[in-house]
Amino acid sequence: MFANRISQTLHDEHRATIALMERLERAITRRQPIDVADSEGRRLLDDLAAAIEADTLRHFDFEETELFTLFDSVGDQLIGDHLTEEHSFMRPLGQQLVTLARRASAGGFDTDSWHEFSRAGAELVQRMVVHVQKEEMALLPLLDQTLDDATEARLLDAYLGTATPAS
Ligand SMILES: [Fe+2]
Ligand SMILES: [Fe+2]
């Protein structure tokens, strides 16, 4: 879909994130606590904790440190600031969900912890869906037009650690 691999990698990660948000939303709208004795419920909690910790927070950091500056360079600083602000709302929600998901995975939910989990989860889903749509419409096409081959290779290496040792 995108010519450069940075846009394509972020796009693939956005799709995986949205798929996970849809699973989370389905579980929340059932309006009864996720049953950790059930393998599907358990897997959702484990996937959620692992994905937020390993992927989402890293993805946010990379966008902020390496990519949003590109908007500055084309004279639009506001959008980078705006997307950074959205990250800053989602980070604590994500961290809260990781903690609650891990705790529930070990000991199940009670009324209070389920309430807390479903409230934070619903807010993260809502914010994430809008955020990803904005980046798909603004950030990824801009990257696709702007990145030269050398920058693309450097950023991909920085993000994925795919450098091959010089021989
Ligand atoms: Fe983002
Ligand atoms: Fe993103």
Side-chain angles (χ1 to χ4, degrees), residues 30-105:
R30 260 177 229 132
R31 296 188 178 280
Q32 48 185 328
I34 293 172
D35 180 4
V36 297
D38 168 61
S39 64
E40 192 190 331
R42 174 93 174 219
R43 193 158 49 236
L44 172 59
L45 294 174
D46 293 345
D47 288 352
L48 193 63
I52 290 172
E53 234 172 19
D55 304 329
T56 308
L57 299 175
R58 193 165 151 273
H59 179 114
F60 286 0
D61 289 344
F62 176 69
E63 288 175 340
E64 288 176 21
T65 55
E66 304 286 357
L67 303 183
F68 293 164
T69 48
L70 284 170
F71 288 115
D72 301 359
S73 70
V74 296
D76 191 350
Q77 197 194 328
L78 287 178
I79 184 151
D81 290 350
H82 177 74
L83 294 170
T84 299
E85 191 184 23
E86 292 189 341
H87 287 173
S88 74
F89 284 118
M90 289 188 283
R91 270 195 192 91
L93 290 169
Q95 268 146 359
Q96 190 184 0
L97 284 178
V98 170
T99 305
L100 292 168
R102 289 250 156 81
R103 206 179 290 156
S105 188

Side-chain angles (χ1 to χ4, degrees), residues 14 18 25 28 48 60 68 70 92 109 111 129 138 140 159:
H14 287 162
I18 293 302
E25 188 172 37
I28 290 171
L48 193 63
F60 286 0
F68 293 164
L70 284 170
F109 282 108
T111 309
V129 168
L140 303 191
Y159 192 42

